[in-house]
């Protein structure tokens, strides 16, 4: 089974930055499209950033221009650089493959507040 371990979340003030990491258990990570999801209390899970088969990454309108998805294939690790954070970015962030697979990690909590 593919496993994902998310980390890097925390408490940050509005306008601040965080870099999330997603360590994976698969050695075919290089060949997988990956994405970042988030879920806030009372809201449905949403896809905020993903790799694209046509070349460039794709972002949700809510994070476009502020978030950047990247990867280190040597470490089988996916990253999400989050800048200019807003309170509405507060959520638990998860990574998964694209198309979405059935196995999820525990996620990492991001809280944006003064």
């Amino acid at each position: 089974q593919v496993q994902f371990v998310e980390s890097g979340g925390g408490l940050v003030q509005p306008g601040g930055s965080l870099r999330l990491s997603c360590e994976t258990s698969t050695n075919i990570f290089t060949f997988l499209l990956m994405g970042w999801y988030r879920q806030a209390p009372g809201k449905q899970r949403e896809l905020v950033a993903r790799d694209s088969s046509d070349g460039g990454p794709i972002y949700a309108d809510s994070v476009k221009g502020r978030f950047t998805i990247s990867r280190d294939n040597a470490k089988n690790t996916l990253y999400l650089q989050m800048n200019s954070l807003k309170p509405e970015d507060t959520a638990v962030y998860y990574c998964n493959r694209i198309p979405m697979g059935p196995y999820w990690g525990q996620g990492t909590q991001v809280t944006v507040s003064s």
Side-chain angles (χ1 to χ4, degrees):
Q1 296 180 1
V2 178
Q3 293 180 307
F4 306 106
V5 180
E6 299 92 345
S7 63
L11 175 63
V12 64
Q13 295 184 12
S17 298
L18 286 173
R19 190 192 193 199
L20 307 184
S21 297
C22 168
E23 299 178 12
T24 72
S25 64
T26 176
N27 58 11
I28 63 169
F29 175 78
T30 299
F31 308 105
L32 297 177
L33 296 177
M34 296 287 295
W36 284 96
Y37 299 78
R38 69 184 181 188
Q39 187 165 29
K43 296 183 178 180
Q44 295 187 8
R45 181 179 58 211
E46 63 174 334
L47 179 64
V48 298
R50 56 158 289 176
D51 294 332
S52 174
S53 60
D54 67 3
I58 298 174
Y59 301 95
D61 288 341
S62 59
V63 308
K64 195 173 300 181
R66 301 186 297 117
F67 290 12
T68 303
I69 188 172
S70 63
R71 62 200 295 143
D72 186 339
N73 287 330
K75 297 180 179 179
N76 294 335
T77 300
L78 184 75
Y79 301 100
L80 184 67
Q81 179 66 47
M82 307 188 298
N83 298 325
S84 302
L85 283 163
K86 305 174 180 179
E88 51 263 44
D89 295 320
T90 296
V92 179
Y93 285 72
Y94 304 87
C95 61
N96 209 324
R97 61 178 298 174
I98 303 295
M100 184 181 69
Y103 304 108
W104 296 86
Q106 293 299 117
T108 184
Q109 175 71 237
V110 171
T111 303
V112 185
S113 176
S114 297

